[in-house]
Amino acid sequence: MPSPDRPQVPTAHGPVAFEGLPRALRNVAYSAARHPGAGTPECPSHPAGPPAAGPAPPPDLTGGANCQRYAYAVLGHFGLRVPPLRSAELWADRAATRPAAPPGPLDLVLFDAGPVAGRPAGYGAHVGVHLGPDRVLHLCREVGRPVVWTYADFAVRPRYARFLGAKRVVAGDGRAG
């Protein structure tokens, strides 16, 4: 039975699911400076100290967000907490997330242009939220606001041409121990 403090996984997919999100998650400007782990004042991305009981407070996205910070805020709306991991850290992480194949609703999906010599897997990858069959919610510089794309929309863009894979947030508060 779902918790009354945590909204349920959206049963609608794609643009319909997007329209069901709070306005604060539908109207976010892209900002590369507001990434997980960025210092204040740019991005106080994760509360310090132990997790509080109940759902995480909504992050302040009024100054914008990058793809990861936005995706983590969407998951936070559904009660899933992700530590402030950059894309390569997220891809390597096994404490707060696990690989998911095929992706399911609210899994994080990563796209890139292919391996980068001398960089770890996932370095510079773009992160979105899988909303259902062939639908990914994400925030990118190209559009500047949250948008729902198909996997084919990513594949035709060189910087997102490779689907790296999906990660599912594990049960619990999503914090690495």
Side-chain angles (χ1 to χ4, degrees):
M1 180 171 194
S3 163
D5 295 331
R6 178 179 165 185
Q8 285 188 289
V9 172
T11 55
H13 303 294
V16 176
F18 175 72
E19 291 301 322
L21 290 173
R23 183 170 168 22
L25 289 174
R26 288 183 280 124
N27 189 28
V28 178
Y30 178 83
S31 172
R34 292 184 51 90
H35 58 80
T40 54
E42 286 82 14
C43 183
S45 59
H46 206 10
D60 177 14
L61 300 178
T62 56
N66 81 336
C67 63
Q68 293 111 321
R69 187 162 154 52
Y70 177 73
Y72 299 166
V74 170
L75 294 186
H77 171 70
F78 292 101
L80 300 170
R81 294 181 70 188
V82 182
L85 302 171
R86 298 298 299 265
S87 56
E89 296 165 334
L90 172 63
W91 187 242
D93 175 66
R94 295 298 184 266
T97 63
R98 64 180 172 84
L106 301 182
D107 283 345
L108 296 164
V109 290
L110 290 85
F111 300 88
D112 66 15
V116 177
R119 300 289 188 173
Y123 178 83
H126 182 68
V127 179
V129 177
H130 182 87
L131 288 183
D134 200 30
R135 297 291 184 264
V136 175
L137 170 63
H138 69 114
L139 177 62
C140 67
R141 180 181 321 212
E142 179 181 338
V143 178
R145 296 282 177 198
V147 64
V148 177
W149 282 359
T150 67
Y151 283 84
D153 292 326
F154 288 95
V156 299
R157 291 165 169 86
R159 73 173 46 149
Y160 309 130
R162 179 174 73 153
F163 173 64
L164 186 59
K167 299 296 296 274
R168 183 165 297 147
V169 176
V170 296
D173 67 12
R175 283 184 180 253

